[in-house]
Short mmCIF file of all heavy atoms in Angstrom, two decimals:
data_model
loop_
_atom_site.label_atom_id
_atom_site.label_comp_id
_atom_site.label_asym_id
_atom_site.label_seq_id
_atom_site.Cartn_x
_atom_site.Cartn_y
_atom_site.Cartn_z
N GLU A 1 -1.59 4.42 1.93
CA GLU A 1 -1.63 5.86 2.36
C GLU A 1 -3.11 6.32 2.39
O GLU A 1 -3.85 5.98 1.51
CB GLU A 1 -0.80 6.71 1.39
CG GLU A 1 -0.66 8.14 1.88
CD GLU A 1 0.33 8.90 1.02
OE1 GLU A 1 0.91 8.34 0.06
OE2 GLU A 1 0.47 10.06 1.32
N ARG A 2 -3.51 7.03 3.39
CA ARG A 2 -4.90 7.49 3.60
C ARG A 2 -5.11 8.89 3.02
O ARG A 2 -4.13 9.72 3.02
CB ARG A 2 -5.23 7.51 4.99
CG ARG A 2 -5.28 6.12 5.64
CD ARG A 2 -5.65 6.16 7.12
NE ARG A 2 -4.75 6.95 7.95
CZ ARG A 2 -3.53 6.61 8.34
NH1 ARG A 2 -3.07 5.45 7.97
NH2 ARG A 2 -2.82 7.36 9.08
N ASP A 3 -6.26 9.22 2.61
CA ASP A 3 -6.65 10.58 2.18
C ASP A 3 -5.77 11.11 1.08
O ASP A 3 -5.16 12.19 1.21
CB ASP A 3 -6.62 11.54 3.37
CG ASP A 3 -7.50 11.09 4.54
OD1 ASP A 3 -8.55 10.48 4.29
OD2 ASP A 3 -7.09 11.23 5.69
N VAL A 4 -5.75 10.40 -0.05
CA VAL A 4 -4.91 10.84 -1.16
C VAL A 4 -5.86 11.45 -2.22
O VAL A 4 -6.93 10.90 -2.48
CB VAL A 4 -4.19 9.60 -1.75
CG1 VAL A 4 -3.43 9.99 -3.07
CG2 VAL A 4 -3.23 8.96 -0.75
N THR A 5 -5.44 12.55 -2.85
CA THR A 5 -6.18 13.12 -3.90
C THR A 5 -5.28 13.28 -5.11
O THR A 5 -4.07 13.39 -4.95
CB THR A 5 -6.75 14.55 -3.56
OG1 THR A 5 -5.61 15.41 -3.26
CG2 THR A 5 -7.68 14.57 -2.39
N ASN A 6 -5.91 13.17 -6.31
CA ASN A 6 -5.08 13.43 -7.53
C ASN A 6 -5.96 14.08 -8.56
O ASN A 6 -7.17 13.89 -8.66
CB ASN A 6 -4.48 12.10 -8.06
CG ASN A 6 -5.55 11.14 -8.66
OD1 ASN A 6 -6.47 10.77 -8.01
ND2 ASN A 6 -5.35 10.82 -9.87
N TYR A 7 -5.34 14.96 -9.34
CA TYR A 7 -5.96 15.67 -10.45
C TYR A 7 -5.95 14.80 -11.67
O TYR A 7 -4.90 14.17 -12.01
CB TYR A 7 -5.20 16.94 -10.71
CG TYR A 7 -5.75 17.71 -11.87
CD1 TYR A 7 -6.97 18.41 -11.81
CD2 TYR A 7 -5.13 17.71 -13.11
CE1 TYR A 7 -7.49 19.10 -12.89
CE2 TYR A 7 -5.61 18.35 -14.20
CZ TYR A 7 -6.81 19.06 -14.05
OH TYR A 7 -7.34 19.69 -15.17
N VAL A 8 -7.04 14.69 -12.35
CA VAL A 8 -7.13 13.81 -13.56
C VAL A 8 -7.10 14.78 -14.79
O VAL A 8 -8.02 15.54 -15.04
CB VAL A 8 -8.45 13.00 -13.56
CG1 VAL A 8 -8.55 12.15 -14.78
CG2 VAL A 8 -8.54 12.19 -12.26
N PRO A 9 -6.03 14.73 -15.60
CA PRO A 9 -5.92 15.58 -16.73
C PRO A 9 -6.70 15.14 -18.02
O PRO A 9 -6.95 15.92 -18.89
CB PRO A 9 -4.43 15.65 -16.97
CG PRO A 9 -3.95 14.31 -16.54
CD PRO A 9 -4.85 13.96 -15.37
N ARG A 10 -6.98 13.82 -18.11
CA ARG A 10 -7.61 13.27 -19.32
C ARG A 10 -8.73 12.31 -18.97
O ARG A 10 -8.83 11.85 -17.83
CB ARG A 10 -6.57 12.61 -20.18
CG ARG A 10 -5.46 13.52 -20.69
CD ARG A 10 -4.53 12.75 -21.67
NE ARG A 10 -3.74 11.74 -20.97
CZ ARG A 10 -2.65 11.95 -20.31
NH1 ARG A 10 -2.17 13.22 -20.16
NH2 ARG A 10 -2.03 10.97 -19.75
N GLY A 11 -9.47 11.94 -19.97
CA GLY A 11 -10.49 10.90 -19.82
C GLY A 11 -11.83 11.39 -19.23
O GLY A 11 -12.06 12.64 -19.27
N GLU A 12 -12.69 10.47 -18.83
CA GLU A 12 -14.02 10.80 -18.45
C GLU A 12 -14.07 11.65 -17.18
O GLU A 12 -15.04 12.35 -16.92
CB GLU A 12 -14.88 9.58 -18.24
CG GLU A 12 -14.38 8.63 -17.16
CD GLU A 12 -15.14 7.34 -17.11
OE1 GLU A 12 -15.45 6.77 -18.14
OE2 GLU A 12 -15.30 6.81 -16.00
N ASN A 13 -13.02 11.60 -16.39
CA ASN A 13 -12.96 12.42 -15.17
C ASN A 13 -12.03 13.64 -15.30
O ASN A 13 -11.65 14.22 -14.33
CB ASN A 13 -12.49 11.58 -13.95
CG ASN A 13 -13.55 10.63 -13.53
OD1 ASN A 13 -14.69 10.96 -13.42
ND2 ASN A 13 -13.12 9.30 -13.31
N ARG A 14 -11.75 14.02 -16.57
CA ARG A 14 -10.86 15.18 -16.87
C ARG A 14 -11.26 16.41 -16.08
O ARG A 14 -12.39 16.75 -16.01
CB ARG A 14 -10.95 15.39 -18.32
CG ARG A 14 -10.10 16.63 -18.77
CD ARG A 14 -10.18 16.92 -20.28
NE ARG A 14 -11.58 17.14 -20.70
CZ ARG A 14 -12.19 16.37 -21.59
NH1 ARG A 14 -11.55 15.35 -22.14
NH2 ARG A 14 -13.41 16.59 -21.92
N GLY A 15 -10.27 17.03 -15.47
CA GLY A 15 -10.52 18.28 -14.76
C GLY A 15 -10.98 18.10 -13.31
O GLY A 15 -11.18 19.10 -12.61
N ARG A 16 -11.06 16.84 -12.90
CA ARG A 16 -11.60 16.62 -11.54
C ARG A 16 -10.47 16.25 -10.59
O ARG A 16 -9.44 15.67 -11.02
CB ARG A 16 -12.64 15.52 -11.50
CG ARG A 16 -13.90 15.87 -12.27
CD ARG A 16 -14.83 14.76 -12.32
NE ARG A 16 -15.34 14.43 -10.95
CZ ARG A 16 -15.96 13.28 -10.65
NH1 ARG A 16 -16.16 12.37 -11.58
NH2 ARG A 16 -16.34 13.08 -9.46
N ASN A 17 -10.63 16.58 -9.31
CA ASN A 17 -9.73 16.10 -8.29
C ASN A 17 -10.43 14.83 -7.66
O ASN A 17 -11.53 15.02 -7.14
CB ASN A 17 -9.46 17.12 -7.21
CG ASN A 17 -8.46 18.13 -7.70
OD1 ASN A 17 -7.43 17.82 -8.20
ND2 ASN A 17 -8.79 19.40 -7.54
N LEU A 18 -9.83 13.69 -7.69
CA LEU A 18 -10.42 12.50 -7.11
C LEU A 18 -9.85 12.21 -5.76
O LEU A 18 -8.64 12.36 -5.55
CB LEU A 18 -10.23 11.32 -8.06
CG LEU A 18 -10.87 11.41 -9.45
CD1 LEU A 18 -10.66 10.15 -10.25
CD2 LEU A 18 -12.34 11.75 -9.37
N TYR A 19 -10.69 11.78 -4.85
CA TYR A 19 -10.29 11.48 -3.46
C TYR A 19 -10.23 9.96 -3.31
O TYR A 19 -11.13 9.23 -3.78
CB TYR A 19 -11.30 12.05 -2.51
CG TYR A 19 -11.15 11.55 -1.08
CD1 TYR A 19 -10.17 12.16 -0.28
CD2 TYR A 19 -12.01 10.62 -0.57
CE1 TYR A 19 -10.02 11.72 1.04
CE2 TYR A 19 -11.87 10.22 0.70
CZ TYR A 19 -10.90 10.76 1.52
OH TYR A 19 -10.74 10.31 2.81
N HIS A 20 -9.18 9.44 -2.61
CA HIS A 20 -9.05 8.00 -2.42
C HIS A 20 -8.69 7.78 -0.91
O HIS A 20 -7.85 8.41 -0.39
CB HIS A 20 -7.84 7.48 -3.27
CG HIS A 20 -7.95 7.81 -4.68
ND1 HIS A 20 -8.80 7.19 -5.58
CD2 HIS A 20 -7.29 8.74 -5.36
CE1 HIS A 20 -8.67 7.71 -6.76
NE2 HIS A 20 -7.78 8.68 -6.67
N GLU A 21 -9.49 6.91 -0.31
CA GLU A 21 -9.35 6.69 1.15
C GLU A 21 -8.14 5.82 1.52
O GLU A 21 -7.36 6.18 2.41
CB GLU A 21 -10.64 6.01 1.70
CG GLU A 21 -10.60 5.72 3.13
CD GLU A 21 -10.38 6.93 4.01
OE1 GLU A 21 -10.88 8.05 3.66
OE2 GLU A 21 -9.76 6.78 5.08
N GLN A 22 -7.95 4.70 0.89
CA GLN A 22 -6.88 3.81 1.20
C GLN A 22 -6.15 3.43 -0.09
O GLN A 22 -6.71 2.79 -0.96
CB GLN A 22 -7.34 2.50 1.85
CG GLN A 22 -8.07 2.69 3.18
CD GLN A 22 -7.14 3.09 4.32
OE1 GLN A 22 -5.99 2.86 4.29
NE2 GLN A 22 -7.80 3.62 5.38
N VAL A 23 -4.89 3.82 -0.27
CA VAL A 23 -4.16 3.61 -1.49
C VAL A 23 -2.93 2.77 -1.21
O VAL A 23 -2.13 3.06 -0.29
CB VAL A 23 -3.70 4.93 -2.13
CG1 VAL A 23 -2.84 4.70 -3.37
CG2 VAL A 23 -4.91 5.84 -2.46
N VAL A 24 -2.77 1.62 -1.93
CA VAL A 24 -1.56 0.81 -1.74
C VAL A 24 -0.46 1.49 -2.61
O VAL A 24 -0.57 1.64 -3.85
CB VAL A 24 -1.84 -0.66 -2.27
CG1 VAL A 24 -0.56 -1.47 -2.25
CG2 VAL A 24 -2.87 -1.32 -1.49
N ARG A 25 0.54 1.91 -1.98
CA ARG A 25 1.63 2.60 -2.62
C ARG A 25 2.79 1.70 -3.02
O ARG A 25 3.56 2.01 -3.88
CB ARG A 25 2.20 3.81 -1.74
CG ARG A 25 1.17 4.88 -1.36
CD ARG A 25 0.89 5.75 -2.56
NE ARG A 25 2.10 6.26 -3.18
CZ ARG A 25 2.74 7.34 -2.80
NH1 ARG A 25 2.35 8.06 -1.82
NH2 ARG A 25 3.83 7.71 -3.43
N LEU A 26 2.87 0.57 -2.33
CA LEU A 26 3.99 -0.34 -2.62
C LEU A 26 3.48 -1.78 -2.18
O LEU A 26 2.90 -1.90 -1.07
CB LEU A 26 5.24 -0.04 -1.82
CG LEU A 26 6.46 -0.94 -1.98
CD1 LEU A 26 7.03 -0.76 -3.35
CD2 LEU A 26 7.45 -0.51 -0.91
N PHE A 27 3.69 -2.77 -3.02
CA PHE A 27 3.36 -4.17 -2.65
C PHE A 27 4.47 -5.04 -3.03
O PHE A 27 5.00 -5.10 -4.11
CB PHE A 27 2.09 -4.62 -3.50
CG PHE A 27 1.57 -5.93 -3.10
CD1 PHE A 27 0.60 -6.11 -2.11
CD2 PHE A 27 2.07 -7.11 -3.68
CE1 PHE A 27 0.08 -7.34 -1.76
CE2 PHE A 27 1.63 -8.32 -3.31
CZ PHE A 27 0.67 -8.44 -2.36
N LYS A 28 4.97 -5.79 -2.02
CA LYS A 28 6.13 -6.71 -2.21
C LYS A 28 5.77 -8.03 -1.68
O LYS A 28 5.05 -8.17 -0.65
CB LYS A 28 7.38 -6.19 -1.44
CG LYS A 28 7.90 -4.87 -1.92
CD LYS A 28 8.87 -5.08 -3.09
CE LYS A 28 9.57 -3.79 -3.43
NZ LYS A 28 10.59 -4.01 -4.37
N SER A 29 6.31 -9.14 -2.30
CA SER A 29 6.11 -10.45 -1.84
C SER A 29 7.50 -11.04 -1.53
O SER A 29 8.43 -10.87 -2.30
CB SER A 29 5.47 -11.39 -2.88
OG SER A 29 4.10 -10.89 -3.11
N TYR A 30 7.57 -11.85 -0.43
CA TYR A 30 8.86 -12.46 -0.05
C TYR A 30 8.56 -13.93 0.36
O TYR A 30 7.50 -14.23 0.90
CB TYR A 30 9.45 -11.78 1.20
CG TYR A 30 9.79 -10.29 0.91
CD1 TYR A 30 8.92 -9.32 1.26
CD2 TYR A 30 11.01 -9.95 0.38
CE1 TYR A 30 9.14 -7.96 1.00
CE2 TYR A 30 11.29 -8.60 0.11
CZ TYR A 30 10.41 -7.63 0.44
OH TYR A 30 10.68 -6.32 0.20
N ALA A 31 9.49 -14.79 0.05
CA ALA A 31 9.38 -16.16 0.51
C ALA A 31 9.61 -16.21 2.02
O ALA A 31 10.42 -15.47 2.55
CB ALA A 31 10.46 -17.05 -0.17
N TYR A 32 8.82 -17.09 2.70
CA TYR A 32 8.90 -17.13 4.13
C TYR A 32 10.16 -17.83 4.64
O TYR A 32 10.60 -18.84 4.08
CB TYR A 32 7.68 -17.92 4.73
CG TYR A 32 7.78 -18.12 6.22
CD1 TYR A 32 7.61 -17.10 7.09
CD2 TYR A 32 8.13 -19.40 6.70
CE1 TYR A 32 7.64 -17.30 8.49
CE2 TYR A 32 8.20 -19.63 8.01
CZ TYR A 32 8.02 -18.58 8.94
OH TYR A 32 8.17 -18.77 10.32
N SER A 33 10.76 -17.25 5.69
CA SER A 33 11.89 -17.88 6.39
C SER A 33 11.79 -17.48 7.82
O SER A 33 11.53 -16.30 8.15
CB SER A 33 13.22 -17.33 5.79
OG SER A 33 14.25 -17.70 6.63
N PRO A 34 11.89 -18.41 8.78
CA PRO A 34 11.72 -18.13 10.16
C PRO A 34 12.74 -17.04 10.64
O PRO A 34 12.46 -16.29 11.57
CB PRO A 34 11.95 -19.45 10.89
CG PRO A 34 11.78 -20.51 9.86
CD PRO A 34 12.10 -19.89 8.54
N ALA A 35 13.83 -16.93 10.02
CA ALA A 35 14.89 -16.02 10.41
C ALA A 35 14.95 -14.79 9.51
O ALA A 35 15.91 -14.01 9.53
CB ALA A 35 16.25 -16.67 10.44
N ALA A 36 13.88 -14.63 8.73
CA ALA A 36 13.90 -13.50 7.70
C ALA A 36 13.91 -12.08 8.38
O ALA A 36 13.24 -11.86 9.37
CB ALA A 36 12.60 -13.62 6.83
N LYS A 37 14.67 -11.30 7.74
CA LYS A 37 14.71 -9.86 8.13
C LYS A 37 14.56 -9.10 6.83
O LYS A 37 15.35 -9.24 5.90
CB LYS A 37 16.06 -9.45 8.81
CG LYS A 37 16.07 -8.01 9.16
CD LYS A 37 17.39 -7.63 9.79
CE LYS A 37 17.40 -6.17 10.15
NZ LYS A 37 18.66 -5.72 10.80
N VAL A 38 13.46 -8.37 6.69
CA VAL A 38 13.12 -7.70 5.45
C VAL A 38 13.24 -6.19 5.64
O VAL A 38 12.76 -5.64 6.61
CB VAL A 38 11.66 -8.15 5.03
CG1 VAL A 38 11.27 -7.41 3.78
CG2 VAL A 38 11.55 -9.58 4.85
N GLU A 39 13.92 -5.56 4.65
CA GLU A 39 13.97 -4.14 4.62
C GLU A 39 13.30 -3.67 3.35
O GLU A 39 13.56 -4.23 2.28
CB GLU A 39 15.44 -3.65 4.64
CG GLU A 39 16.13 -3.91 5.98
CD GLU A 39 17.49 -3.33 6.08
OE1 GLU A 39 17.74 -2.35 5.40
OE2 GLU A 39 18.30 -3.91 6.85
N VAL A 40 12.43 -2.66 3.48
CA VAL A 40 11.65 -2.20 2.31
C VAL A 40 11.91 -0.69 2.19
O VAL A 40 11.82 0.08 3.17
CB VAL A 40 10.17 -2.48 2.49
CG1 VAL A 40 9.39 -1.86 1.35
CG2 VAL A 40 9.92 -3.93 2.67
N GLU A 41 12.26 -0.22 1.03
CA GLU A 41 12.41 1.15 0.74
C GLU A 41 11.06 1.79 0.38
O GLU A 41 10.46 1.41 -0.66
CB GLU A 41 13.45 1.35 -0.43
CG GLU A 41 13.83 2.85 -0.60
CD GLU A 41 14.93 3.06 -1.66
OE1 GLU A 41 15.75 2.14 -1.77
OE2 GLU A 41 14.88 4.05 -2.29
N LEU A 42 10.61 2.70 1.25
CA LEU A 42 9.32 3.31 0.97
C LEU A 42 9.43 4.40 -0.08
O LEU A 42 10.47 4.99 -0.28
CB LEU A 42 8.80 3.90 2.31
CG LEU A 42 8.64 2.91 3.45
CD1 LEU A 42 8.19 3.61 4.77
CD2 LEU A 42 7.60 1.89 3.11
N PRO A 43 8.31 4.65 -0.74
CA PRO A 43 8.32 5.72 -1.75
C PRO A 43 8.75 7.07 -1.11
O PRO A 43 8.33 7.36 0.00
CB PRO A 43 6.84 5.79 -2.27
CG PRO A 43 6.34 4.43 -1.96
CD PRO A 43 7.00 3.99 -0.69
N SER A 44 9.55 7.84 -1.78
CA SER A 44 10.09 9.05 -1.27
C SER A 44 9.05 10.15 -0.94
O SER A 44 9.18 10.94 -0.11
CB SER A 44 11.17 9.67 -2.17
OG SER A 44 10.61 9.98 -3.42
N ASP A 45 7.89 10.06 -1.72
CA ASP A 45 6.86 11.04 -1.46
C ASP A 45 5.72 10.57 -0.56
O ASP A 45 4.69 11.15 -0.46
CB ASP A 45 6.26 11.49 -2.82
CG ASP A 45 5.61 10.35 -3.63
OD1 ASP A 45 5.93 9.17 -3.31
OD2 ASP A 45 4.84 10.66 -4.49
N LEU A 46 5.94 9.45 0.13
CA LEU A 46 4.93 8.96 1.02
C LEU A 46 4.71 9.81 2.22
O LEU A 46 5.73 10.20 2.90
CB LEU A 46 5.41 7.51 1.47
CG LEU A 46 4.43 6.77 2.36
CD1 LEU A 46 3.23 6.27 1.48
CD2 LEU A 46 5.09 5.48 2.95
N ASN A 47 3.54 10.13 2.56
CA ASN A 47 3.21 10.86 3.77
C ASN A 47 3.14 9.83 4.99
O ASN A 47 2.14 9.21 5.09
CB ASN A 47 1.89 11.63 3.58
CG ASN A 47 1.52 12.50 4.81
OD1 ASN A 47 2.01 12.24 5.94
ND2 ASN A 47 0.71 13.48 4.57
N LEU A 48 4.17 9.84 5.77
CA LEU A 48 4.24 8.83 6.88
C LEU A 48 3.16 9.01 7.84
O LEU A 48 2.68 8.00 8.49
CB LEU A 48 5.62 8.92 7.57
CG LEU A 48 6.82 8.57 6.69
CD1 LEU A 48 8.07 8.69 7.50
CD2 LEU A 48 6.70 7.11 6.11
N GLU A 49 2.70 10.20 8.10
CA GLU A 49 1.63 10.45 9.12
C GLU A 49 0.31 9.90 8.67
O GLU A 49 -0.60 9.67 9.47
CB GLU A 49 1.44 11.94 9.37
CG GLU A 49 2.68 12.56 10.07
CD GLU A 49 2.56 14.03 10.35
OE1 GLU A 49 1.52 14.62 9.88
OE2 GLU A 49 3.48 14.54 10.97
N LYS A 50 0.13 9.62 7.37
CA LYS A 50 -1.13 9.07 6.79
C LYS A 50 -0.94 7.60 6.31
O LYS A 50 -1.69 7.13 5.51
CB LYS A 50 -1.63 9.93 5.65
CG LYS A 50 -2.07 11.30 6.11
CD LYS A 50 -2.61 12.03 4.89
CE LYS A 50 -3.21 13.39 5.31
NZ LYS A 50 -3.80 14.07 4.17
N SER A 51 0.13 6.92 6.80
CA SER A 51 0.46 5.64 6.17
C SER A 51 0.63 4.56 7.24
O SER A 51 0.79 4.85 8.47
CB SER A 51 1.80 5.72 5.40
OG SER A 51 1.64 6.69 4.36
N ALA A 52 0.54 3.35 6.80
CA ALA A 52 0.70 2.14 7.60
C ALA A 52 1.38 1.07 6.76
O ALA A 52 1.37 1.11 5.55
CB ALA A 52 -0.61 1.64 8.13
N VAL A 53 1.99 0.10 7.51
CA VAL A 53 2.55 -1.08 6.81
C VAL A 53 1.66 -2.25 7.25
O VAL A 53 1.36 -2.43 8.40
CB VAL A 53 4.04 -1.32 7.27
CG1 VAL A 53 4.49 -2.62 6.73
CG2 VAL A 53 4.88 -0.20 6.85
N VAL A 54 1.26 -3.06 6.26
CA VAL A 54 0.50 -4.23 6.50
C VAL A 54 1.31 -5.47 6.09
O VAL A 54 1.86 -5.49 4.98
CB VAL A 54 -0.82 -4.20 5.69
CG1 VAL A 54 -1.61 -5.48 5.84
CG2 VAL A 54 -1.66 -3.05 6.08
N VAL A 55 1.38 -6.47 6.93
CA VAL A 55 2.13 -7.72 6.67
C VAL A 55 1.19 -8.83 6.85
O VAL A 55 0.38 -8.93 7.80
CB VAL A 55 3.30 -7.79 7.65
CG1 VAL A 55 4.09 -9.10 7.39
CG2 VAL A 55 4.27 -6.60 7.49
N TYR A 56 1.24 -9.79 5.93
CA TYR A 56 0.40 -11.03 6.16
C TYR A 56 1.20 -12.26 5.67
O TYR A 56 2.09 -12.15 4.84
CB TYR A 56 -0.95 -10.93 5.55
CG TYR A 56 -0.95 -10.73 4.02
CD1 TYR A 56 -1.00 -11.83 3.13
CD2 TYR A 56 -0.86 -9.45 3.39
CE1 TYR A 56 -1.03 -11.65 1.77
CE2 TYR A 56 -0.89 -9.25 2.10
CZ TYR A 56 -0.91 -10.32 1.20
OH TYR A 56 -0.97 -10.19 -0.15
N LEU A 57 0.88 -13.36 6.30
CA LEU A 57 1.49 -14.65 5.99
C LEU A 57 0.45 -15.51 5.22
O LEU A 57 -0.63 -15.72 5.71
CB LEU A 57 1.89 -15.39 7.27
CG LEU A 57 2.72 -16.68 7.13
CD1 LEU A 57 3.97 -16.44 6.40
CD2 LEU A 57 2.95 -17.27 8.52
N GLN A 58 0.85 -15.92 3.99
CA GLN A 58 -0.07 -16.55 3.11
C GLN A 58 0.59 -17.81 2.50
O GLN A 58 1.73 -17.75 2.06
CB GLN A 58 -0.48 -15.61 1.95
CG GLN A 58 -1.51 -16.22 1.02
CD GLN A 58 -1.91 -15.19 -0.05
OE1 GLN A 58 -1.07 -14.46 -0.48
NE2 GLN A 58 -3.16 -15.22 -0.45
N ASP A 59 -0.17 -18.92 2.50
CA ASP A 59 0.31 -20.19 1.93
C ASP A 59 0.40 -19.96 0.42
O ASP A 59 -0.60 -19.62 -0.20
CB ASP A 59 -0.66 -21.36 2.30
CG ASP A 59 -0.13 -22.66 1.74
OD1 ASP A 59 -0.16 -22.85 0.47
OD2 ASP A 59 0.28 -23.46 2.54
N PRO A 60 1.57 -20.25 -0.23
CA PRO A 60 1.74 -20.02 -1.66
C PRO A 60 0.92 -20.95 -2.55
O PRO A 60 0.68 -20.66 -3.72
CB PRO A 60 3.21 -20.13 -1.90
CG PRO A 60 3.68 -21.02 -0.78
CD PRO A 60 2.76 -20.72 0.37
N GLU A 61 0.46 -22.10 -2.02
CA GLU A 61 -0.31 -23.08 -2.80
C GLU A 61 -1.81 -22.83 -2.68
O GLU A 61 -2.52 -22.84 -3.68
CB GLU A 61 0.11 -24.45 -2.44
CG GLU A 61 1.54 -24.75 -2.82
CD GLU A 61 1.96 -26.17 -2.40
OE1 GLU A 61 1.09 -26.99 -2.08
OE2 GLU A 61 3.23 -26.40 -2.47
N SER A 62 -2.30 -22.76 -1.44
CA SER A 62 -3.73 -22.65 -1.19
C SER A 62 -4.18 -21.12 -1.14
O SER A 62 -5.42 -20.88 -1.20
CB SER A 62 -4.15 -23.29 0.08
OG SER A 62 -3.61 -22.58 1.23
N PHE A 63 -3.23 -20.25 -0.95
CA PHE A 63 -3.48 -18.84 -0.78
C PHE A 63 -4.24 -18.51 0.49
O PHE A 63 -4.72 -17.37 0.65
CB PHE A 63 -4.28 -18.21 -2.00
CG PHE A 63 -3.49 -18.37 -3.33
CD1 PHE A 63 -3.96 -19.30 -4.26
CD2 PHE A 63 -2.35 -17.69 -3.53
CE1 PHE A 63 -3.26 -19.48 -5.44
CE2 PHE A 63 -1.65 -17.88 -4.74
CZ PHE A 63 -2.12 -18.73 -5.63
N VAL A 64 -4.35 -19.45 1.41
CA VAL A 64 -4.96 -19.22 2.75
C VAL A 64 -3.97 -18.24 3.54
O VAL A 64 -2.84 -18.52 3.62
CB VAL A 64 -5.20 -20.49 3.45
CG1 VAL A 64 -5.60 -20.28 4.90
CG2 VAL A 64 -6.23 -21.37 2.71
N ILE A 65 -4.62 -17.22 4.09
CA ILE A 65 -3.86 -16.28 4.98
C ILE A 65 -3.96 -16.78 6.39
O ILE A 65 -5.07 -16.96 6.95
CB ILE A 65 -4.39 -14.89 4.85
CG1 ILE A 65 -4.17 -14.38 3.41
CG2 ILE A 65 -3.80 -13.91 5.86
CD1 ILE A 65 -4.74 -13.04 3.07
N SER A 66 -2.81 -17.01 7.02
CA SER A 66 -2.81 -17.52 8.44
C SER A 66 -2.48 -16.50 9.47
O SER A 66 -2.53 -16.81 10.60
CB SER A 66 -1.84 -18.74 8.45
OG SER A 66 -0.58 -18.30 8.11
N GLY A 67 -2.10 -15.33 9.00
CA GLY A 67 -1.76 -14.29 10.01
C GLY A 67 -1.60 -12.94 9.33
O GLY A 67 -1.21 -12.89 8.15
N ALA A 68 -1.93 -11.88 10.05
CA ALA A 68 -1.78 -10.53 9.53
C ALA A 68 -1.52 -9.51 10.60
O ALA A 68 -1.91 -9.78 11.80
CB ALA A 68 -3.03 -10.15 8.71
N ALA A 69 -0.86 -8.43 10.31
CA ALA A 69 -0.62 -7.36 11.29
C ALA A 69 -0.48 -6.03 10.52
O ALA A 69 -0.11 -6.09 9.33
CB ALA A 69 0.65 -7.62 12.07
N MET A 70 -0.79 -4.95 11.22
CA MET A 70 -0.71 -3.60 10.63
C MET A 70 -0.04 -2.72 11.67
O MET A 70 -0.32 -2.79 12.86
CB MET A 70 -2.06 -3.04 10.32
CG MET A 70 -1.99 -1.68 9.73
SD MET A 70 -3.58 -0.97 9.26
CE MET A 70 -4.15 -0.44 10.89
N LYS A 71 0.86 -1.83 11.21
CA LYS A 71 1.51 -0.87 12.05
C LYS A 71 1.49 0.51 11.40
O LYS A 71 1.88 0.68 10.30
CB LYS A 71 2.99 -1.31 12.30
CG LYS A 71 3.79 -0.32 13.00
CD LYS A 71 3.44 -0.23 14.45
CE LYS A 71 4.42 0.73 15.20
NZ LYS A 71 3.97 1.11 16.45
N GLN A 72 0.88 1.45 12.11
CA GLN A 72 0.87 2.86 11.64
C GLN A 72 2.27 3.40 11.70
O GLN A 72 3.08 3.01 12.56
CB GLN A 72 -0.07 3.73 12.56
CG GLN A 72 -1.48 3.27 12.59
CD GLN A 72 -2.18 3.55 11.27
OE1 GLN A 72 -1.87 4.41 10.50
NE2 GLN A 72 -3.14 2.64 11.02
N LEU A 73 2.67 4.20 10.71
CA LEU A 73 3.99 4.71 10.66
C LEU A 73 4.08 6.05 11.35
O LEU A 73 3.18 6.64 11.77
CB LEU A 73 4.45 4.92 9.22
CG LEU A 73 4.54 3.62 8.35
CD1 LEU A 73 4.96 3.92 6.97
CD2 LEU A 73 5.50 2.67 9.04
#
């Protein structure tokens, strides 16, 4: 999700509103299958106009990424 702000109630940034440009709201891993159909339940408070889904194919042994795609929601 893009353009996320949050209020910090405690710690060194107490009382500040912090701005975040790109926030990963959900991360899931699935085993590859050529016939795979994956359904993901998005967080209920996700702002779809400021969000995208990113998918990538990664070798589980070498961690080499062989493909990736992004779709704005």
